Amino acid sequence: MPGRRDAPVARRLAAVGGALLPLPSPRGTDPPTQLRPHRTASFTPLVTTYGTPAYADLDPSWPAGLTYVAMFGIMFGDVGHGALLVLGALALRLGRPRRLARLRPLWPFLAGAGVASMLAGAAYGEFFGPTGLLPVLWLSPTAEPARLLAAAVILGAALLALAHLSGAVNRVREGGWGTGLYAASGGAGLLFYLGLATAAGGLALHRAPVAVAGAVLGAAGLALVAVGLYRDTAGGGPGLAETVVRLFDVVVRAGTNTLSFARLAAFGLTHAALAGLVWRGTTALAGRGGAGVVGAVLLFVVGTAVTFGLEALVAGVQALRLEFYELFSRLFGAEGRPFRPWRVPRAESADPAVKVVPCSPG
């Protein structure tokens, strides 16, 4: 049972002459993990779909959920489309339609994604596409794709650094400072990635001292990673060869994972282009009058529905992919066990006034 329920259970046992006896945890075993959902909204399904964190790990539910909806919003940035998602979330929250009642726990994701999409759409100046009804507060994806691409990669680097930091905390809590220092997803990996990012920033800004300092930090972190990888092998020549191969993988993944966040800009641009295409067709038909107006309405409704459904699906899948493969792979080290309460099964006797409780190990 959760530790916070010790006192209530002790009082209930005392009322019937029993007592609660604390026992030390057996060595070599970890308690099962129970992620505590919030009373009104929970992002725990996002985490449990990937796996169960170890008992000692940080609870990543809310940070992961907020990161997911932010990435979704960047790719699905549109005030009108985001408002439709918020309305859908409210319907799910109220249990409507009833045939979708089983999806009710997902309403926080839908609501968060809708709000993030509206905020990004306001920054892009999009309302059911680049209709010109809203001013561009930051940039237009179709007009400044390179700037959006750079912003997406920088955001991805920041998220990866935070994931490395959280992973370092988890490794220390799981196995102590030794594990936390040398792990590729721990302090060594964090030092290497920060050095790599600093060196890249120095080169991009033409700041040689910054680039050199970053290279030194990155080399130090990579050396610590190599020590940690070698410690996990059998040693000797085979261990050295395995360390070199795995070290190469660490370096390659650091670069590819960072560039993978460019998809935030790519799909944000695709969403704006498709919505803009629908809007241009709508205005062209509406200018012909008569039957053209009817065709414009049909084109806008059908085109918006297709764009909305297609882009929502793509943005949802891509945000989930970035969450799982780029971020969670650094957070999770040891796999935990989900908490499942033990209950005594009850059986009905022939006499309805008598309850029979069988003794069973399960």
Side-chain angles (χ1 to χ4, degrees):
M1 68 178 185
R4 64 183 181 277
R5 297 187 59 186
D6 282 0
V9 171
R11 288 194 297 268
R12 293 181 64 183
L13 291 174
V16 294
L20 184 66
L21 178 63
L23 295 175
S25 299
R27 292 183 179 180
T29 62
D30 289 325
T33 304
Q34 182 187 41
L35 299 178
R36 298 180 61 181
H38 194 269
R39 293 181 179 179
T40 57
S42 174
F43 291 112
T44 55
L46 179 65
V47 179
T48 55
T49 299
Y50 181 87
T52 302
Y55 180 79
D57 286 1
L58 301 171
D59 184 352
S61 301
W62 270 90
L66 295 177
T67 302
Y68 177 86
V69 299
M71 293 190 296
F72 181 97
I74 293 172
M75 292 184 283
F76 198 71
D78 190 288
V79 175
H81 292 172
L84 294 178
L85 287 177
V86 172
L87 291 176
L90 292 176
L92 279 183
R93 182 71 175 82
L94 297 174
R96 297 290 186 273
R98 291 185 177 180
R99 63 178 178 274
L100 298 179
R102 66 183 184 279
L103 301 178
R104 189 171 182 268
L106 300 180
W107 78 266
F109 294 95
L110 206 57
V115 172
S117 299
M118 293 177 69
L119 293 175
Y124 299 157
E126 294 188 22
F127 182 79
F128 291 106
T131 57
L133 299 176
L134 294 177
V136 178
L137 299 181
W138 179 42
L139 60 80
S140 172
T142 54
E144 299 181 87
R147 187 180 172 192
L148 181 62
L149 178 64
V153 173
I154 292 173
L155 173 63
L159 292 176
L160 285 172
L162 291 175
H164 268 295
L165 178 60
S166 301
V169 174
N170 287 343
R171 300 299 87 78
V172 171
R173 296 175 67 166
E174 291 168 3
W177 287 100
T179 301
L181 176 62
Y182 293 106
S185 60
L190 174 63
L191 184 62
F192 166 65
Y193 190 77
L194 289 179
L196 184 65
T198 302
L203 291 175
L205 298 174
H206 303 289
R207 298 290 188 271
V210 175
V212 172
V216 172
L217 287 177
L222 198 60
L224 291 175
V225 171
V227 172
L229 294 177
Y230 185 77
R231 290 171 58 187
D232 293 337
T233 68
L240 182 60
E242 180 182 350
T243 300
V244 172
V245 172
R246 294 180 64 186
L247 199 64
F248 178 77
D249 178 67
V250 169
V251 175
V252 171
R253 284 186 59 203
T256 56
N257 289 168
T258 304
L259 294 178
S260 185
F261 282 88
R263 69 188 66 224
L264 296 177
F267 289 108
L269 177 60
T270 301
H271 181 266
L274 289 177
L277 181 64
V278 172
W279 179 248
R280 287 194 298 272
T282 300
T283 54
L285 287 175
R288 298 181 180 182
V293 175
V294 177
V297 173
L298 290 176
L299 176 61
F300 181 77
V301 172
V302 175
T304 298
V306 172
T307 302
F308 178 88
L310 179 63
E311 290 299 313
L313 177 62
V314 169
V317 171
Q318 293 300 326
L320 194 64
R321 185 224 178 271
L322 289 171
E323 193 85 56
F324 282 0
Y325 290 97
E326 271 67 37
L327 301 180
F328 279 6
S329 61
R330 288 163 171 79
L331 290 177
F332 283 73
E335 183 73 13
R337 295 179 295 119
F339 172 74
R340 294 187 177 92
W342 178 76
R343 293 182 174 86
V344 179
R346 302 181 59 137
E348 298 289 339
S349 70
D351 185 352
V354 178
K355 298 285 187 180
V356 178
V357 181
C359 294
S360 70

